[in-house]
Each structure stands twice: as structure tokens, then as C-alpha cells.
Amino acid sequence: MTESTKTVVRQVGMSAPDIGPREIDAVLKVLQSGVLSLGPVVQEFERLVAAYVNASTAVAVNSGTAGLHMCMIAAGAADGDEVITTPFSFVASANSVLYERAIPVFIDVDPATGNIDPARIEERITARTKAILPVHVFGQPADMDPILEIGKRRGLAVIEDACEAIGAEYKGRRVGALGDAGVFAFYPNKQMTTGEGGIVVTRRPDWVKILASLRNQGREEMNGWLDHARLGYNYRMTELSAALGVVQIGRIDELLANRARVAAAYSQRLARIPGVTVPFIAETTTRMSWFVYVIRLDPAVDRDRVVMGLKENGIPARPYFPAIHLQPLYRQLGHQPGAYPVTEQLSRQSLALPFHGRLSDDDVDYVCSRLQKLIEP
């Protein structure tokens, strides 16, 4: 085959941050200020995020994982305590429990949404349970009202893993500020980004001081720089990251709208392809915050073959999510296949397609056409 007759393979990125001149100018301004940490931009970012999600306070950190870890400490989870959560999530949610030598108690998920099934929670509560950690998977809110009711009645903290769900709304209320605390993450593949970074929002005044101290090596606000009141961590967000965040939270509705446009384009095209199920939106979800676009393939479809075929066409795709309880670490802790059948089925069928707010209609058409050719006989 000559050079002129070779097939050109289009390259489609799996994810991409939406960064423009305003973000670049904001970071440059911080660099010129000479204040790169523990400065006013972090405080401004905290104020803006708290206001956006209707929380009383926000504490910025260097990752969503750090925020979840701090919330476990604030909730009092320690050796042998239990935290109820979901096995269908990114592994950081369950890992944050292990960091404090507590035990993640998994609850199987709703087959339609992939979120934790509230009807299964009560039966797993014991005298050692400290908290409930629901995850708003892929940007869709978990069914929070029954979870909040259980938490209140049983005296358990409710911590929302909203790392994938900035701007999502449950029955008209923004997630993150529904429970005792919520955690957002801003990795470059998220709806908005600070490069690396996260934030904890809370309605608990008694947690604010603890969270602020934990992120800053255990220091307390009125004590000296070398005085450490508790075991703390270097979980601070930099001024540079916060500068990105200030601009991005100001653009959040635009960023979410762009991603919703791409999601709608995918759903319209994929609904016509046999063997593909598009994402389900629950009635309680009054605003979806599209983090990733995850389809489900019919069990008869060879997902591995589809992934390889898409790759050959310049299209990355990933199984999303692998079940946490079947990860090697968790198998070593005693978890076995078959324990959470809904999660395991979703893990076998789910596939994340390239997704971000800058994908063009042509990109979506290309992905869908190649996927259809791989699935249809």
C-alpha cells in the first residue's frame, strides 16, 4: 500500500480540560504575586465553591482523596470501625476508610443508576458503624433522602463522595451540602479542574477547625507554625491550583452545559444501536453533572474485542468501573466474587467512551459509527 492510499486513523482524546486565557492569566497573576501557598486565592476559591453548592464552609485540599480521608477522621472512624459505602466507585472512596484502619462495608447498587441502594443499608448497620459514604457515580446523585433519614435516625455521619458530581442536583438541591460533609475533586478529567485538587464542604461547624488543621500538618489557626495539635497531613491546595479553580467555578454552568451537549449527542446516536444501553437518568436527578459517558454493552457483546477495535481506530475506551471488592488489595482482605452481583454485572458490561466538553459532533459521529461496526454482525 502506498503512502497516499493508507487509511488515516482519527485520534479522539479520552478526556481534556477546558482551559482558556482567563485561567492562564489568573495563574500568571499568582506567580507574579510571589504568594504561592496559604494565600488569599485559596480563600476566595473556598468562598465561591461554598456559595455555589449552598454550603456554609469549604476547605480546599490537594485532592479529592485527601478530602475523603479527612472526613473519615472528622467522623471518628478508627481501628475496626465500619463505614458503609459502595463497591461500584473509583477505589479512593473505599481506600479513604482503610487509611484509618476502619472497614469499608459494601452495599450493592441500584441496577439502573449504579448508585448505592438505600434499601440495603439498614441491614448492614452494626454497633461499630460510624458513617455512610454514598458516591454520586458518574455525576448522578445517589438517592439521598432515605440515606439522610437513616443517618439522622441512627446517629451516623453522612459524607457525600461528590468527587464526580460538581453541580449535580438531587430534587433541586445541589449535591455535596446535603450530608454532614461532601467532597469534590478537580483532576483534569473532571467537569472543572485545578490540575490536582479537591475541596471539602460541610455544614458542621465542629468539623471546620478539624478539617483545616488536618490539611495543614495538624496546625491550628491561632498556634505557631511549629506547633502541631494533632496528627496532620500535607494536604494543602496551592495558590496556583486555586487560581485555576476561581476561574473554573465562575464558568461552571458553561462547562456543564458543554458536557451535557456532548452527552445528548451520544445518547441520540447510540440509542439506535442494538446491544448498547445509554445512561439512565433517575427522576430524582434534576440536574446531571456529566463526568464521563458510560454505556452498557449487551452481555453477548465481547467488550474486550470492542475496546481493542476502538483502539485500532484511534478511540480510547475503558471498562468503568472495575468492582472495588474484586481489586487485588480487596481480594487479599477477604472479599470474594458473587458478593455484590449487581455491581459485578455492571462492571462486566460498562464502557466509558471518550468524553469532554470540547468533543465535536464529528468526533461523536466517528466514535458511534466505529462502535456500531464493531457491535453489529
Side-chain angles (χ1 to χ4, degrees):
M1 181 180 291
T2 66
E3 188 69 28
S4 61
T5 60
K6 285 183 179 178
T7 300
V8 177
V9 175
R10 186 172 187 157
Q11 299 295 321
V12 181
M14 187 70 190
S15 64
D18 191 332
I19 300 295
R22 290 175 53 200
E23 285 87 350
I24 294 170
D25 288 346
V27 172
L28 182 60
K29 184 177 180 181
V30 168
L31 287 171
Q32 292 169 335
S33 76
V35 180
L36 304 185
S37 184
L38 297 171
V41 184
V42 167
Q43 295 175 18
E44 175 68 0
F45 182 50
E46 291 171 336
R47 184 188 69 78
L48 291 171
V49 173
Y52 179 72
V53 302
N54 299 314
S56 56
T57 309
V59 178
V61 288
N62 60 10
S63 71
T65 305
L68 290 169
H69 180 202
M70 290 176 9
C71 285
M72 292 301 105
I73 298 171
D79 299 69
D81 290 331
E82 297 173 349
V83 175
I84 291 175
T85 189
T86 166
F88 191 64
S89 173
F90 182 61
V91 73
S93 52
N95 283 356
S96 70
V97 180
L98 294 181
Y99 293 159
E100 291 304 303
R101 300 167 304 282
I103 301 167
V105 175
F106 294 126
I107 302 293
D108 214 346
V109 297
D110 179 285
T113 65
N115 282 324
I116 192 169
D117 185 348
R120 299 172 182 262
I121 291 176
E122 194 97 34
E123 65 190 30
R124 301 302 303 276
I125 295 174
T126 72
R128 295 181 296 178
T129 306
K130 287 287 187 178
I132 306 171
L133 177 62
V135 181
H136 304 308
V137 173
F138 307 149
Q140 173 147 237
D143 190 2
M144 288 300 297
D145 280 347
I147 296 172
L148 294 169
E149 190 278 327
I150 293 170
K152 182 177 181 180
R153 177 163 44 83
R154 301 297 293 264
L156 304 174
V158 176
I159 298 160
E160 297 172 72
D161 182 342
C163 290
E164 302 175 0
I166 184 76
E169 294 181 5
Y170 170 79
K171 298 182 179 179
R173 295 129 61 195
R174 285 186 179 148
V175 303
L178 303 177
D180 294 276
V183 183
F184 298 101
F186 307 120
Y187 190 70
N189 66 344
K190 295 297 196 296
Q191 296 91 328
M192 58 169 281
T193 188
T194 58
E196 293 276 5
I199 203 163
V200 182
V201 297
T202 183
R203 60 181 178 84
R204 293 277 300 263
D206 55 323
W207 282 20
V208 174
K209 181 179 178 180
I210 296 170
L211 294 168
S213 175
L214 287 170
R215 72 161 172 195
N216 191 23
Q217 300 284 15
R219 299 180 177 98
E220 292 191 338
E221 186 176 0
M222 302 306 295
N223 293 346
W225 185 250
L226 296 180
D227 295 329
H228 305 272
R230 58 176 53 83
L231 177 63
Y233 305 88
N234 184 1
Y235 283 169
R236 297 184 299 268
M237 174 178 279
T238 71
E239 290 282 283
L240 298 167
S241 292
L244 276 174
V246 167
V247 178
Q248 293 260 293
I249 193 65
R251 298 178 56 208
I252 187 62
D253 288 331
E254 168 202 345
L255 297 174
L256 293 178
N258 288 340
R259 296 171 84 93
R261 172 191 60 80
V262 176
Y266 264 133
S267 292
Q268 180 182 12
R269 291 157 176 79
L270 292 172
R272 301 190 294 265
I273 303 177
V276 173
T277 301
V278 300
F280 171 83
I281 309 299
E283 289 185 3
T284 53
T285 298
T286 46
R287 188 184 196 184
M288 181 78 173
S289 175
W290 289 96
F291 163 49
V292 285
Y293 191 89
V294 178
I295 61 173
R296 299 180 191 178
L297 299 178
D298 188 275
V301 175
D302 185 338
R303 186 178 62 179
D304 291 343
R305 185 183 66 80
V306 169
V307 170
M308 290 303 300
L310 290 173
K311 183 179 180 181
E312 290 170 0
N313 283 274
I315 302 168
R318 297 174 184 168
Y320 232 84
F321 282 114
I324 293 177
H325 68 288
L326 299 183
Q327 296 276 4
L329 168 62
Y330 287 82
R331 291 294 301 272
Q332 292 171 24
L333 296 174
H335 292 280
Q336 297 294 326
Y340 310 102
V342 179
T343 292
E344 292 172 29
Q345 183 66 23
L346 290 179
S347 294
R348 287 191 293 268
Q349 292 181 254
S350 297
L351 185 68
L353 300 177
F355 186 74
H356 56 84
R358 291 184 168 180
L359 277 180
S360 67
D361 286 344
D362 285 345
D363 290 329
V364 173
D365 284 338
Y366 178 72
V367 173
C368 294
S369 65
R370 295 305 183 272
L371 178 64
Q372 185 169 7
K373 288 181 178 179
L374 289 164
I375 289 178
E376 291 186 344

